[in-house]
């Protein structure tokens, strides 16, 4: 554990035992030490120190804003006014944001110190952070392994202490999977909890901003600060300022799980064994385990990749080499401006997904793929809504195993897509989900345990997760 | 259902990406492996199921219709790959006509 939590930190600030400046300097020192891990694309050292000094000069009497002096890193697909943004892509190299994302404005209002821009898979497409145009990110727990993706930089930065907390985005698991691989808490809120204004769009019906932290309470505090309705995003419907850290959900709890998934041969035997032990402990503590049949897990990946690539093919049509972004030097006509700029600017995985998305939307294939996937998506959503009629939370793996080695899956797109089989469910259904550390695996790397909850049921979901985590000592952070 | 080279070339054009014959076979193989995997959907009975299109099915909150000009001229041009003082510059799109 590097950071002992916001509450202890604020106590130290109040009692004069330390300054925000000292905390920022410590983060900068670790960022320097872990520079070769590739997590930061840009470090705002001077700005962060200036903000720290301003906070220190104000003093810490009275009530502190919830993120006062808390050092936060931001994924490189979230706009921050007058700062560069690339979404991990050459096509946006040199781009400067004209405005800040709503989540960034809210971070600043809550007193956070924004320390830098964090590496990610290009346009958030990937599960290993090997698809960034600016190089891969390495896992701080083992540099030969991936940190997960697409928010790999956001996970690694918190794991090595470059920042206390970070923002990522989660379209199919891009916060929870890297959180699991780096031994952190990662939360994807309900679709509509957090504004997407100022987030580089990938799959608009899936994308949500998520948070990383070493501790559940801190991650929840960060999420509370960025949540709530926003005039700039009509799909964001949650009440602003709704407290997510208090709930009257005292238990005992009804915990759903899928017996078939526990038998999934791809699942790490260590995860299975830990899960069986945890279930026993929870039952002994008075909670009820409810076996739920959730058929259609095998459909989740095809449905997700059909719909998300279709949405991506539409969203990414804006990168045309006209108003912003890269324009090929060989652009001499409308067609060459579009085709050459896009083909030279986008990396191979992004092009693969644009092509797949264009295909499933094209005449003659639309009904067989796109429309069909939308129907199966409805069935999955209905099934999970039913699950939450008889359960307070649903427990499942975050990933089948722990972090894999760099290069291990990069030549096999399908194997990489299957990384997301347990995480895409929350994105397909729009439901909130979080991953907490649940390890280690036999190789010493952390595993992740995932909790899903009903729509806009975050407060109870976090309460349940916290109480269940406390009952099982081996799911504490490593 | 399998994609062939001809279909791939057509969708590459629709996606406004450049056709690269050297990479086409690998792309075709990746796509067909995924589509083969996606055949599992054929077994999912979906008759009478309404497609899920939007995640906010209970409607979206209305807001006042007012103009908020947040981006000025200079900012709008700031990230342009090519510009003059007033406009985005783009390659010629119209051919010279006889008249």
């Amino acid at each position: 554990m590097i950071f002992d939590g916001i509450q202890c930190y604020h106590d130290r600030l109040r009692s004069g035992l330390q300054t925000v400046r000292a905390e920022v300097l410590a983060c900068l020192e670790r960022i320097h030490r872990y520079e070769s891990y590739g997590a930061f694309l840009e470090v705002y050292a001077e700005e962060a120190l200036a903000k720290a000094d301003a906070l220190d000069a104000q003093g810490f009497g009275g009530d502190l804003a919830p993120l006062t002096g808390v050092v936060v890193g931001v994924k490189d697909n979230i706009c921050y006014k007058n700062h560069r943004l690339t979404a991990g892509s050459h096509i946006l190299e040199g781009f400067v944001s004209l405005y800040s994302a709503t989540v960034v404005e809210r971070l600043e209002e809550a007193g956070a110190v924004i320390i830098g821009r964090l590496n990610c898979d290009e346009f958030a497409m990937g599960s290993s952070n090997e698809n960034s145009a600016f190089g891969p990110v390495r896992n701080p727990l083992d540099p030969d392994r991936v940190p997960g993706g697409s928010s790999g930089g956001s996970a690694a930065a918190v794991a090595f202490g470059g920042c206390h907390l970070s923002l990522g985005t989660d379209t199919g698991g891009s916060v929870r999977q890297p959180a699991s691989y780096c031994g952190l808490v990662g939360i994807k809120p309900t679709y509509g909890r957090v504004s997407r204004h100022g987030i580089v769009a990938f799959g608009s019906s899936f994308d949500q901003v998520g948070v990383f932290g070493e501790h559940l309470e801190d991650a929840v505090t960060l999420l509370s600060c960025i949540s709530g309705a926003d005039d700039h995003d009509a799909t964001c419907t949650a009440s602003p300022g709704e407290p997510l850290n208090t709930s009257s959900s005292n238990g005992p709890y009804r915990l759903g799980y899928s017996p078939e998934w526990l038998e999934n041969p791809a699942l790490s035997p260590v995860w299975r064994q830990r899960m069986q032990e945890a279930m026993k402990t929870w039952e002994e503590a008075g909670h009820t385990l409810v076996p739920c049949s959730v058929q259609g897990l095998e459909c989740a990946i095809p449905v997700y990749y059909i719909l998300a690539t279709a949405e991506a093919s539409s969203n990414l049509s804006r990168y045309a080499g006209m108003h912003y972004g890269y324009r090929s030097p060989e652009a001499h006509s409308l067609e060459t401006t579009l085709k050459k700029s896009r083909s030279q600017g986008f990396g191979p995985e992004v092009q693969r997904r644009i092509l797949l998305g264009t295909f499933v939307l094209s005449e003659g294939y639309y009904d067989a793929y796109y429309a069909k996937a939308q129907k199966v998506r409805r069935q999955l959503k209905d099934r999970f809504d039913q699950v939450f009629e008889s359960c307070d939370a649903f427990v499942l793996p975050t990933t089948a195993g722990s972090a894999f080695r760099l290069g291990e899956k990069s030549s096999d797109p399908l194997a990489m897509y299957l990384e997301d089989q347990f995480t895409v469910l929350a994105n397909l259904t729009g439901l909130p989900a979080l991953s907490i550390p649940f390890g280690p695996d036999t190789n010493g790397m952390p595993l992740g345990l995932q909790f899903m909850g009903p729509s806009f049921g975050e407060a109870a979901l976090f309460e349940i997760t916290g109480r269940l985590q406390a009952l099982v000592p081996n799911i504490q952070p490593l | 259902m399998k994609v062939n080279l001809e279909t791939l070339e057509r969708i590459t054009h629709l996606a406004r990406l450049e056709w690269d014959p050297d990479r086409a076979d690998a792309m075709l193989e990746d796509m067909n492996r995924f589509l083969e995997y996606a055949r599992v959907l054929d077994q999912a009975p979906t008759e009478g199921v309404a497609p899920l299109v939007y995640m906010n099915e209970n409607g979206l909150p209305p807001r006042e219709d007012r103009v908020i000009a947040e981006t000025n001229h200079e900012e709008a041009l700031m990230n342009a790959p090519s510009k003059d003082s007033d406009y985005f510059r783009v390659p010629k799109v119209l051919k010279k006509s006889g008249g």
Side-chain angles (χ1 to χ4, degrees):
Chain A
M1 189 172 71
I2 298 169
F3 182 52
D4 53 3
I6 296 173
Q7 202 179 340
C8 296
Y9 175 46
H10 280 180
D11 286 345
R12 288 197 303 278
L13 290 177
R14 279 201 193 87
S15 58
L17 286 172
Q18 83 158 100
T19 58
V20 177
R21 184 181 182 86
E23 197 67 19
V24 171
L25 285 171
C27 289
L28 290 171
E29 189 277 318
R30 288 187 289 257
I31 291 170
H32 180 66
R33 203 183 330 147
Y34 282 88
E35 201 176 344
S36 64
Y37 284 63
F40 279 83
L41 291 176
E42 195 176 352
V43 183
Y44 311 137
E46 280 178 26
E47 283 173 59
L49 286 169
K51 172 89 186 235
D53 289 345
L55 289 166
D56 286 330
Q58 262 172 33
F60 305 102
D63 283 344
L64 297 184
L67 298 177
T68 299
V70 175
V71 182
V72 181
V74 176
K75 185 176 179 179
D76 184 34
N77 63 350
I78 300 176
C79 291
Y80 183 13
K81 188 171 180 166
N82 295 329
H83 291 73
R84 288 167 58 195
L85 172 95
T86 67
S89 180
H90 280 310
I91 212 160
L92 277 174
E93 227 172 325
F95 180 86
V96 175
S97 294
L98 299 185
Y99 57 85
S100 284
T102 300
V103 293
V104 169
E105 286 180 349
R106 290 183 183 175
L107 277 185
E108 292 188 303
E109 284 161 19
V113 177
I114 300 177
I115 198 152
R117 187 160 60 88
L118 296 165
N119 203 350
C120 58
D121 281 304
E122 185 175 5
F123 286 99
M125 296 178 186
S127 307
S128 66
N129 216 125
E130 292 168 293
N131 292 339
S132 168
F134 307 103
V137 178
R138 292 177 182 276
N139 192 315
L141 305 173
D142 178 350
D144 292 333
R145 292 179 189 274
V146 302
S150 66
S151 314
S154 301
V158 173
F160 70 65
C163 47
H164 299 139
L165 300 167
S166 65
L167 295 183
T169 56
D170 191 316
T171 304
S174 286
V175 166
R176 291 158 288 151
Q177 186 250 22
S180 163
Y181 281 5
C182 292
L184 302 171
V185 173
I187 306 174
K188 184 212 82 93
T190 307
Y191 184 87
R193 169 73 68 190
V194 178
S195 168
R196 290 180 292 115
H197 175 64
I199 311 301
V200 176
F202 162 12
S204 303
S205 77
F206 299 92
D207 298 339
Q208 271 292 288
V209 175
V211 298
F212 290 90
E214 281 185 277
H215 314 283
L216 178 61
E217 309 83 67
D218 288 355
V220 172
T221 300
L222 175 57
L223 180 62
S224 301
C225 289
I226 60 169
S227 291
D230 174 19
D231 271 354
H232 292 290
D233 177 7
T235 63
C236 180
T237 53
S239 323
E242 185 186 327
L244 300 177
N245 53 359
T246 52
S247 146
S248 53
S249 181
N250 292 320
Y253 304 123
R254 298 162 303 165
L255 304 169
Y257 73 102
S258 165
E260 300 106 77
W261 299 0
L262 262 182
E263 300 308 317
N264 187 322
L267 201 56
S268 145
V270 181
W271 193 96
R272 189 178 297 119
Q273 192 193 329
R274 284 181 184 280
M275 182 62 183
Q276 280 156 351
E277 287 166 13
M279 286 164 70
K280 194 161 158 257
T281 310
W282 294 332
E283 274 191 314
E284 283 166 6
H287 305 295
T288 312
L289 272 300
V290 184
C292 301
S293 169
V294 185
Q295 283 154 355
L297 179 66
E298 69 285 358
C299 291
I301 288 292
V303 170
Y304 171 74
Y305 276 92
I306 287 168
L307 297 177
T309 58
E311 293 183 17
S313 73
S314 168
N315 274 324
L316 270 58
S317 64
R318 73 192 65 180
Y319 301 100
M322 297 280 181
H323 302 108
Y324 52 83
Y326 172 80
R327 180 184 295 171
S328 167
E330 299 163 74
H332 303 303
S333 64
L334 176 61
E335 184 152 322
T336 53
T337 302
L338 294 169
K339 289 187 173 177
K340 293 209 179 276
S341 303
R342 289 163 61 79
S343 292
Q344 292 165 12
F346 289 136
E349 181 59 26
V350 173
Q351 295 193 42
R352 187 180 291 120
R353 295 200 195 191
I354 289 174
L355 287 171
L356 184 60
T358 307
F359 172 75
V360 299
L361 287 172
S362 65
E363 194 184 356
Y365 304 102
Y366 182 96
D367 286 333
Y369 291 105
Y370 187 66
K372 177 79 181 182
Q374 286 182 319
K375 290 176 185 175
V376 180
R377 185 180 193 184
R378 156 106 42 211
Q379 290 172 319
L380 277 167
K381 183 173 183 297
D382 288 350
R383 183 67 194 108
F384 270 97
D385 286 344
Q386 274 172 14
V387 163
F388 291 115
E389 283 170 18
S390 57
C391 300
D392 301 304
F394 187 80
V395 197
L396 69 166
T398 308
T399 53
S402 51
F404 48 94
R405 291 179 187 282
L406 265 90
E408 194 176 321
K409 298 189 181 184
S410 49
S411 59
D412 186 348
L414 188 57
M416 197 69 95
Y417 296 172
L418 286 169
E419 268 298 298
D420 305 335
Q421 60 178 320
F422 295 111
T423 49
V424 293
L425 296 162
N427 307 83
L428 286 166
T429 55
L431 297 173
L434 73 161
S435 177
I436 60 168
F438 191 58
D441 201 352
T442 41
N443 56 14
M445 297 300 288
L447 293 162
L449 176 63
Q450 194 182 184
F451 290 84
M452 281 173 76
S455 188
F456 292 104
E458 276 92 335
L461 178 65
F462 300 150
E463 177 86 39
I464 294 169
T465 306
R467 285 171 186 258
L468 296 181
Q469 183 177 25
L471 285 173
V472 188
N474 67 5
I475 66 175
Q476 293 299 330
L478 295 173
Chain B
M1 205 176 305
K2 274 197 145 186
V3 182
N4 57 27
L5 271 176
E6 195 187 333
T7 308
L8 183 64
E9 187 168 0
R10 186 171 63 86
I11 61 168
T12 304
H13 170 70
L14 288 175
R16 296 300 184 269
L17 291 169
E18 200 165 37
W19 177 245
D20 179 353
D22 294 339
R23 289 196 306 182
D25 285 336
M27 188 64 82
L28 201 61
E29 193 190 321
D30 289 342
M31 278 183 79
N32 280 325
R33 274 188 70 212
F34 175 78
L35 294 174
E36 177 65 29
Y37 182 72
R39 284 180 59 183
V40 65
L41 294 185
D42 298 343
Q43 270 114 58
T46 51
E47 226 176 84
V49 178
L52 180 63
V53 183
Y54 301 109
M55 296 312 285
N56 308 72
E57 292 195 308
N58 299 328
L60 299 174
R63 64 176 162 83
E64 205 183 322
D65 187 10
R66 61 194 159 90
V67 177
I68 35 173
E70 291 185 331
T71 303
N72 63 32
H73 199 103
E74 189 189 344
E75 287 170 340
L77 287 170
M78 188 170 86
N79 285 299
S82 176
K83 64 189 169 191
D84 58 24
S85 54
D86 283 323
Y87 298 104
F88 293 101
R89 288 177 65 100
V90 294
K92 261 194 174 54
V93 287
L94 296 174
K95 291 198 172 79
K96 256 188 192 162
S97 66

